[in-house]
Amino acid sequence: MSEPLAHLYPLALRTLDIQERRVTELRGRLAPVLAAGGAGATLLSGPAIAAASAGPPASYAALLLAAVGLAVTLGGSARLLTARVERRGIDVLAIRRSLRGRGALADSDAYYTLMLPALHVRAAAVDTAADKLERVFTRILCGILVMLCGLALVALVA
């Protein structure tokens, strides 16, 4: 077996593990962020709604801003929790058939030559999904910020 191929294979496997941990950690960060946003909304919503009902029309606009932030937060949270990272693995049987067809079933170089591109394709798919989920998480944070700023603005305007 060639030395570079022997080093690339475990590296490709570690890359997949790191990417899958990245997605798992992202989902794990969602609960504390939503809890913090919910606590802030709970503290500000009572005074803000009371102030908006007796305040100037600008307080209604600020309350609408808070509602938009809440909608973005809830929509992003649902998207993040329901997102599916492709669980399809590598077609090992197809690789075995290809190796058998070449007469290289016992050739480790041929095995690594077939497996490394398959691992690369899988890593690219997981990386794309993780990037998308990180963008959704950023939208959630922005939604929480807009919601809290809108509620605080209602209290200030009124």
Side-chain angles (χ1 to χ4, degrees), residues 101-124:
R102 294 179 186 181
L105 201 53
D107 184 9
S108 60
D109 282 347
Y111 168 77
Y112 287 126
T113 303
L114 286 174
M115 282 300 288
L116 287 173
L119 289 172
H120 176 72
V121 168
R122 178 73 182 122

Side-chain angles (χ1 to χ4, degrees), residues 6-118:
H7 291 293
L8 286 176
Y9 185 73
L11 181 63
L13 291 177
R14 278 197 307 268
T15 300
L16 281 173
D17 289 341
I18 289 169
Q19 289 173 335
E20 289 179 11
R21 272 196 308 269
R22 180 177 157 200
V23 171
T24 303
E25 289 171 0
L26 187 62
R27 285 187 174 149
R29 290 190 303 206
L30 183 61
V33 166
L34 289 178
T42 301
L43 292 174
L44 290 173
S45 62
I49 291 173
S53 62
S59 61
Y60 290 114
L63 195 57
L64 180 64
L65 181 69
V68 168
L70 178 63
V72 169
T73 300
L74 293 177
S77 300
R79 171 82 174 102
L80 186 67
L81 290 173
T82 60
R84 299 269 180 222
V85 176
E86 187 177 325
R87 297 272 184 216
R88 185 173 45 97
I90 295 168
D91 189 359
V92 179
L93 293 177
I95 290 173
R96 182 174 174 251
R97 280 191 301 270
S98 178
L99 287 171
R100 180 176 281 160
R102 294 179 186 181
L105 201 53
D107 184 9
S108 60
D109 282 347
Y111 168 77
Y112 287 126
T113 303
L114 286 174
M115 282 300 288
L116 287 173

